[in-house]
Amino acid sequence: MICHDKIELWIYKKVRNSDFPKIFRDELTTLQVNLGYKCNQACSHCHVDAGPNRLEMMDINTIKLIPKFIDLYNVKCLDLTGGAPELHDYFRYLIEEASQRGIRVIDRCNLTILSEPGQEDLGSFLAKYKVIVVASLPCYMEDNVDKQRGKGVFNKSINGLKELNSLGYGKENSNLELNLVYNPIGAALAPPQIALEENYRKILFKEYGIVFSSLYTITNMPINRFATSLKTSGKLDDYNKLLRDSYNKNNLKEVMCRSLISVDWKGEIYDCDFNQQLGLRVKDHNLNLNSLVKLKQNLKGKEITVGNHCYGCTAGAGSSCSGQLT
Ligand code: SF4
Ligand code: SF4
């Protein structure tokens, strides 16, 4: 039997021992907040290892720092993620606070959450505040989605998309943005985003009458649950080699960590959500959400903490939480 702790330690060491080029922060535009690891799903590729049994959730003291941070650092976009961020008691409070400030708000939504008990009015709440919905749909075929995200997820996701469409999401001139996220089913790079978006558009409309704004293709990061499954099946080294061999230096200036700060449920800060999941703190370990709110810092020019997983962001056309980079 394989010991998963040993595998994770092995993966962590591989990530840290890296020749990835140095990169530095630019203007901060986005605060990405991971509200906790509780999720109604437990997908096989999840880099957060989220699931129904995870209990880690941001406390109210940390929640209250978020509007202060937005004001102090003139943040233009609040990006809410998890787990399923909608399961947090203060998810709606944060949206109301951000919308009073007129900034963009993103909900990284797994779609099935819309049909969970207690979330019946979630869609209309998101529409009321014009929250941008970024929704995972790794394929337009039921088998592929259910294989990666769990049995029955595809049909529930389609129902979720229909509900969002009925509220105006994804429709031209509605001002309600609905972006879908594709990530490869296995250890491969995503196909070109524009061509795949066209396929999604045709098939989702023809089969289900569904419309959406854009498709984001995202590379699977070789960390956490996905890395463990690759390691167990003997594919991790090949996947890491694929990412390295596909390195495209043009993506370096666009990687999302240059303009984003990621906060975990404890209020610790990271250069991105992937670093957060690996426990790779920002270079200055004294910084956290609390200290950044107490004393404003100039983050521009600060060196970003990198590792071998960063090749996942620079491979091929590049990858970020907003899809392809170049
Ligand atoms: S990938 Fe998203 S929906 Fe799936 S378990 Fe992770 S957080 Fe939940
Ligand atoms: S994983 Fe990507 S976003 Fe995160 S630090 Fe590395 S290059 Fe930046």
Side-chain angles (χ1 to χ4, degrees):
M1 187 172 144
I2 297 166
C3 169
H4 279 219
D5 286 351
K6 274 192 187 158
I7 290 177
E8 275 164 25
L9 184 63
W10 183 88
I11 291 166
Y12 182 77
K13 282 184 181 161
K14 281 224 151 193
V15 162
R16 290 309 304 264
N17 188 11
S18 175
D19 60 353
F20 193 83
K22 282 187 178 187
I23 43 176
F24 299 88
R25 295 198 145 272
D26 203 337
E27 294 295 341
L28 177 69
T29 60
T30 301
L31 178 65
Q32 189 174 66
V33 180
N34 191 316
L35 287 170
Y37 302 152
K38 191 176 171 72
C39 187
N40 56 319
Q41 292 182 196
C43 309
S44 61
H45 70 294
C46 183
H47 71 270
V48 186
D49 280 353
N53 299 324
R54 296 296 298 260
L55 299 174
E56 301 90 337
M57 295 297 244
M58 188 173 273
D59 68 22
I60 180 65
N61 292 332
T62 311
I63 291 278
K64 284 188 173 164
L65 295 173
I66 292 168
K68 290 182 185 167
F69 185 93
I70 291 171
D71 292 340
L72 197 58
Y73 289 84
N74 197 19
V75 166
K76 303 282 187 281
C77 176
L78 176 66
D79 185 342
L80 297 173
T81 183
E86 305 87 349
L87 292 176
H88 196 288
D89 288 345
Y90 286 87
F91 170 77
R92 296 185 187 207
Y93 161 82
L94 285 177
I95 288 174
E96 285 162 358
E97 286 289 319
S99 99
Q100 277 170 23
R101 289 159 171 82
I103 66 169
R104 284 162 59 86
V105 187
I106 296 173
D107 173 25
R108 297 205 174 258
C109 176
N110 67 19
L111 294 174
T112 62
I113 194 71
L114 289 154
S115 53
E116 285 291 305
Q119 301 289 344
E120 292 79 5
D121 62 340
L122 176 62
S124 46
F125 174 83
L126 296 172
K128 178 179 172 191
Y129 289 98
K130 303 211 175 332
V131 175
I132 298 163
V133 174
V134 177
S136 305
L137 191 71
C139 191
Y140 38 70
M141 290 166 73
E142 182 174 352
D143 283 358
N144 285 341
V145 172
D146 283 5
K147 192 171 152 204
Q148 187 184 78
R149 297 175 73 77
K151 198 163 168 38
V153 166
F154 180 78
N155 285 326
K156 278 190 183 175
S157 301
I158 292 296
N159 290 341
L161 288 172
K162 284 181 176 170
E163 183 188 336
L164 291 171
N165 278 174
S166 73
L167 292 161
Y169 268 102
K171 297 194 171 165
E172 261 180 66
N173 305 322
S174 71
N175 216 4
L176 291 172
E177 221 177 294
L178 170 60
N179 301 315
L180 302 184
V181 175
Y182 164 90
N183 57 283
I185 301 292
L189 293 183
Q193 188 167 279
I194 291 179
L196 190 63
E197 181 178 285
E198 217 31 57
N199 274 350
Y200 262 68
R201 251 186 232 297
K202 265 193 231 149
I203 292 170
L204 287 179
F205 188 72
K206 183 165 168 259
E207 300 291 329
Y208 309 102
I210 287 170
V211 293
F212 61 93
S213 311
S214 301
L215 178 78
Y216 296 161
T217 55
I218 296 188
T219 302
N220 287 322
M221 275 289 165
I223 61 177
N224 283 356
R225 198 176 284 156
F226 184 59
T228 304
S229 80
L230 289 180
K231 174 72 181 144
T232 312
S233 58
K235 293 181 186 158
L236 184 60
D237 283 339
D238 283 351
Y239 187 60
N240 280 329
K241 182 171 183 307
L242 171 69
L243 298 181
R244 286 180 70 91
D245 289 351
S246 313
Y247 174 68
N248 176 355
K249 72 173 183 343
N250 293 331
N251 291 321
L252 270 187
K253 58 182 185 305
E254 304 292 342
V255 284
M256 62 184 175
C257 49
R258 300 193 64 210
S259 58
L260 168 152
I261 279 277
S262 163
V263 184
D264 74 3
W265 64 281
K266 290 180 285 190
E268 301 295 349
I269 61 160
Y270 304 82
D271 290 305
C272 72
D273 195 44
F274 305 122
N275 283 8
Q276 181 185 138
Q277 301 317 317
L278 288 161
L280 295 178
R281 301 278 305 279
V282 289
K283 293 267 180 195
D284 182 348
H285 284 203
N286 293 321
L287 294 181
N288 56 35
L289 195 61
N290 196 27
S291 68
L292 286 175
V293 166
K294 271 193 180 145
L295 185 63
K296 189 173 178 192
Q297 305 272 330
N298 183 9
L299 300 172
K300 192 171 176 180
K302 285 200 183 290
E303 189 179 343
I304 291 164
T305 303
V306 295
N308 275 332
H309 61 303
C310 296
Y311 285 106
C313 291
T314 52
S319 177
S320 75
C321 288
S322 303
Q324 185 178 304
L325 295 177
T326 50

